């Protein structure tokens, strides 16, 4: 799962539909699937094609020439890479905020009550790779808490970390608050404490197509904000 780009087409839009291709951070999957559905309902001649993966991987593909219309990143650093590569048609707009969270499987088999417990021998910790936004945040939080531990597995997206925890393949994982909600009854959140950190999510039209600018505006508009809030994202 960690190495595979996730594609989703929301709705049909008819044989003569125009397709807008959206590259979005894995942590946005639930919110953007709902957003695409609502967008298509009010724009029946437009089909939304969603591609989810880690922001670093998506940014690299866009810079290399991938035919994306819209890019929504889980941090400003990867968006800045795309901007510097001359691959945005419009200036990015920050549309959401997310907090890092420590998640454990339901039942908390590792008996983890705080970040410092991750130093206990034998515990399996899953994090995102350093180049992925949630990975950079995880390392900053661990350093701030003076917790010295090497992760047992590094994933290319935050949803891959969540899956490891949900399946019981890891005793703990560092994900986003919205991923804890997505995990439902299969996971529990352990408070991080004063080291809590957040990331901002920017979106930008990559192509010059009118549909690209329109979908990006939908994300930042009132309907987009409502959907994001329903998935636990905060207003920046």
């Amino acid at each position: 799962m960690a190495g595979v780009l996730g594609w989703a087409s929301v709705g049909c839009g008819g044989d003569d539909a125009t397709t807008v291709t959206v590259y979005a951070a894995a942590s946005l999957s639930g919110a953007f699937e709902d957003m695409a559905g609502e967008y298509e309902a009010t724009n029946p001649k437009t089909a939304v094609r969603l591609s989810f993966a880690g922001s670093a991987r998506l940014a690299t593909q866009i810079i290399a020439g991938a035919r994306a219309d819209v890019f929504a990143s889980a941090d400003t650093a990867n968006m800045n890479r795309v901007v510097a590569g001359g691959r945005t048609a419009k200036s990015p707009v920050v549309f959401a905020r997310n907090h890092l969270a420590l998640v454990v499987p339901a039942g908390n088999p590792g008996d983890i009550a705080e970040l410092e417990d991750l130093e206990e021998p034998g515990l399996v910790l899953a994090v995102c790779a350093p180049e992925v936004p949630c990975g950079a945040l995880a390392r900053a939080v661990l350093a701030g808490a003076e917790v010295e531990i090497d992760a047992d597995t590094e994933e290319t997206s935050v949803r891959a970390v969540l899956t490891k925890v949900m399946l019981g393949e890891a005793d703990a994982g560092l994900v986003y608050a919205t991923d804890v909600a997505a995990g439902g009854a299969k996971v529990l959140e352990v408070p991080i404490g004063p080291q809590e950190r957040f990331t901002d999510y920017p979106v930008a039209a990559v192509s010059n197509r009118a549909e690209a600018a329109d979908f990006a505006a939908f994300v930042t508009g009132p309907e987009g904000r409502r959907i994001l809030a329903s998935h636990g994202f905060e207003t920046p």
Side-chain angles (χ1 to χ4, degrees):
M1 172 180 174
V4 178
L5 222 90
W7 287 97
S9 261
V10 181
C12 299
D15 293 337
D16 58 346
T18 296
T19 299
V20 57
T21 300
V22 179
Y23 277 34
S27 52
L28 290 166
S29 56
F32 267 46
E33 284 165 2
D34 288 352
M35 209 176 291
E38 290 213 14
Y39 182 82
E40 288 186 342
T42 55
N43 298 273
K45 292 297 183 181
T46 302
V48 180
R49 190 184 190 200
L50 301 169
S51 175
F52 300 113
S55 298
R57 182 178 182 185
L58 295 175
T60 297
Q61 291 180 337
I62 292 171
I63 293 168
R67 294 185 177 180
D69 292 304
V70 177
F71 177 42
S73 175
D75 69 346
T76 55
N78 281 295
M79 179 62 78
N80 288 342
R81 289 174 55 209
V82 175
V83 172
R87 295 288 289 150
T88 52
K90 301 283 185 180
S91 297
V93 176
V94 173
F95 65 95
R97 176 171 288 178
N98 213 346
H99 280 83
L100 197 74
L102 176 59
V103 67
V104 299
N108 194 5
D111 196 25
I112 298 167
E114 56 185 1
L115 280 173
E116 287 75 8
D117 291 338
L118 297 176
E119 293 180 322
E120 289 295 321
L123 289 178
V124 177
L125 173 65
V127 299
C128 292
E131 66 273 14
V132 182
C134 63
L137 276 181
R139 284 156 183 79
V141 166
L142 291 172
E146 298 184 346
V147 173
E148 297 183 4
I149 184 173
D150 291 326
D152 298 281
T153 178
E154 294 183 344
E155 306 296 333
T156 59
S157 77
V158 69
R159 285 302 171 96
V161 174
L162 178 67
T163 298
K164 290 274 188 183
V165 177
M166 291 173 64
L167 294 176
E169 296 176 2
D171 296 300
L174 285 163
V175 296
Y176 294 126
T178 52
D179 298 299
V180 178
K186 294 183 178 180
V187 298
L188 296 171
E189 182 176 2
V190 175
I192 285 179
Q195 290 79 27
E196 182 181 81
R197 299 203 180 201
F198 65 85
T199 184
D200 285 333
Y201 287 65
V203 65
V206 173
S207 75
N208 285 308
R209 300 174 64 218
E211 295 84 3
D214 194 53
F215 186 84
F218 183 84
V219 170
T220 61
E223 289 304 308
R225 290 197 299 269
R226 176 183 59 78
I227 293 169
L228 288 160
S230 73
H231 284 268
F233 287 92
E234 302 172 30
T235 300

